[in-house]
Amino acid sequence: MHRSEDDTEPAGGITVVGSYLSPYVRKVLVCLALKGLPYRIDPIVPFYGNDTFAHLSPLRRVPVLIDDQVTLADSTVICEYLEERYPAVPLLPHSPPQRARARWLEEYADSRLGEALIWHLFNQVVIRRFVWGEPPDEQVLRKAREREIPQALDYLESQLPADGCLFGPIGVADVALAAFFRNAVLSRYAIDAARWPISAAYVVRVLGHAAFESLRTFEDLSARTPILHHRAALQAAGAPISKHSFGTSTPRRGVLEI
Ligand SMILES: N[C@@H](CCC(=O)N[C@@H](CS)C(=O)NCC(=O)O)C(=O)O
């Protein structure tokens, strides 16, 4: 699945720029794994991107995918591209209504779960502290824990299957939804299985898939390693690290203010 035998960039191969801690990066890495596509990763936290990174990703966000033909800076666009270019293992269902529903749930994950679980939870407890040396905004955290996440789980409880995945085999909607809840785990937020039994079981099931499992060591390592040492620590642990990095040692604020 990974290509870590040597330090040569694979000719015509795929490079993903972005940290193992990002749910949007995780979504792309899991889709690559499911499609059996090898890749290299430049595991930068986006605030540490250099000037070239800003050129590749105008919003200075991760993931960025670079291959022999294109450079793309949005997880949904990347996954659609992979789906079209490498259709052998499909990650969208076949019928138009189901495809549309899969896209909606992916969009819901990226936007609403992104807001609640990343900007208002993970970024508060992890990024603010470890990138900016600031304490979390307790009001934002409280709102996320007490209102936004419960609201999202109420909705998901009505949408998710009691068994298996959303549309048969695991697909991009499952990957996107579960990817965000992995950051909930990393932020020490556990879904209350008594209140949302279907969602709690679904997230455990999807995160238990081998394609998610294969990333866990690198995620946990990133979570406990100072940011500037991520690359070396991940390389030592066998991650398929790219030869070149778009990282720098001083963080700068993002382009979008959310
Ligand atoms: N719509 C983008 C969102 C990506 C995104 O927001 N990534 C976060 C990391 S989890 C990021 O790069 N944040 C840096 C910032 O907000 O400046 C996608 O789907 O790829």
Side-chain angles (χ1 to χ4, degrees):
M1 217 171 273
H2 295 308
R3 198 171 165 142
S4 54
E5 320 74 78
D6 59 58
D7 69 349
T8 315
E9 304 290 346
I14 295 171
T15 300
V16 176
V17 182
S19 168
Y20 282 103
L21 295 175
S22 161
Y24 301 95
V25 172
R26 186 172 306 118
K27 182 176 132 189
V28 167
L29 299 184
V30 171
C31 288
L32 285 164
L34 290 170
K35 285 181 175 289
L37 297 168
Y39 59 86
R40 295 245 167 204
I41 182 167
D42 177 16
I44 62 167
V45 171
F47 308 101
Y48 290 83
N50 65 17
D51 290 340
T52 312
F53 172 69
H55 183 68
L56 299 177
S57 179
L59 300 179
R60 293 178 38 80
R61 290 191 152 181
V62 294
V64 176
L65 179 138
I66 305 165
D67 72 4
D68 58 335
Q69 297 189 10
V70 72
T71 295
L72 300 168
D74 179 89
S75 66
T76 300
V77 175
I78 292 169
C79 291
E80 284 183 355
Y81 168 66
L82 295 175
E83 187 72 1
E84 290 176 356
R85 187 163 173 194
Y86 305 100
V89 178
L91 297 179
L92 277 170
H94 183 68
S95 81
Q98 287 200 334
R99 288 171 83 82
R101 196 162 159 256
R103 289 194 178 105
W104 156 246
L105 289 168
E106 179 185 1
E107 163 56 26
Y108 182 82
D110 288 355
S111 54
R112 187 53 176 159
L113 295 185
E115 190 172 29
L117 292 171
I118 301 305
W119 280 276
H120 296 167
L121 179 71
F122 182 80
N123 284 7
Q124 290 300 321
V125 298
V126 178
I127 299 294
R128 268 178 86 115
R129 185 140 126 235
F130 295 107
V131 175
W132 309 114
E134 294 168 359
D137 181 328
E138 291 298 336
Q139 219 177 325
V140 170
L141 256 184
R142 197 171 323 114
K143 191 169 153 211
R145 287 180 186 280
E146 291 174 10
R147 282 232 305 274
E148 295 169 340
I149 302 172
Q151 254 171 22
L153 285 165
D154 283 345
Y155 172 63
L156 291 175
E157 196 69 7
S158 73
Q159 300 295 309
L160 299 175
D163 293 301
C165 289
L166 278 157
F167 305 102
I170 188 169
V172 70
D174 302 296
V175 173
L177 289 164
F180 284 89
F181 283 101
R182 174 72 178 126
N183 281 73
V185 175
L186 292 166
S187 312
R188 307 208 188 296
Y189 177 94
I191 300 175
D192 178 350
R195 188 167 169 195
W196 298 287
I198 293 175
S199 306
Y202 169 86
V203 166
V204 169
R205 207 160 55 241
V206 178
L207 288 180
H209 192 287
F212 275 103
E213 291 268 355
S214 66
L215 301 174
R216 195 136 316 158
T217 313
F218 303 141
E219 295 168 353
D220 290 339
L221 183 58
S222 304
R224 61 171 189 267
T225 303
I227 290 173
L228 294 179
H229 300 303
H230 278 190
R231 191 178 171 82
L234 288 162
Q235 189 141 35
I241 299 297
S242 62
K243 195 168 169 191
H244 301 292
S245 178
F246 298 103
T248 181
S249 54
T250 318
R252 23 185 143 162
R253 300 275 171 186
V255 173
L256 297 183
E257 294 190 15
I258 16 173

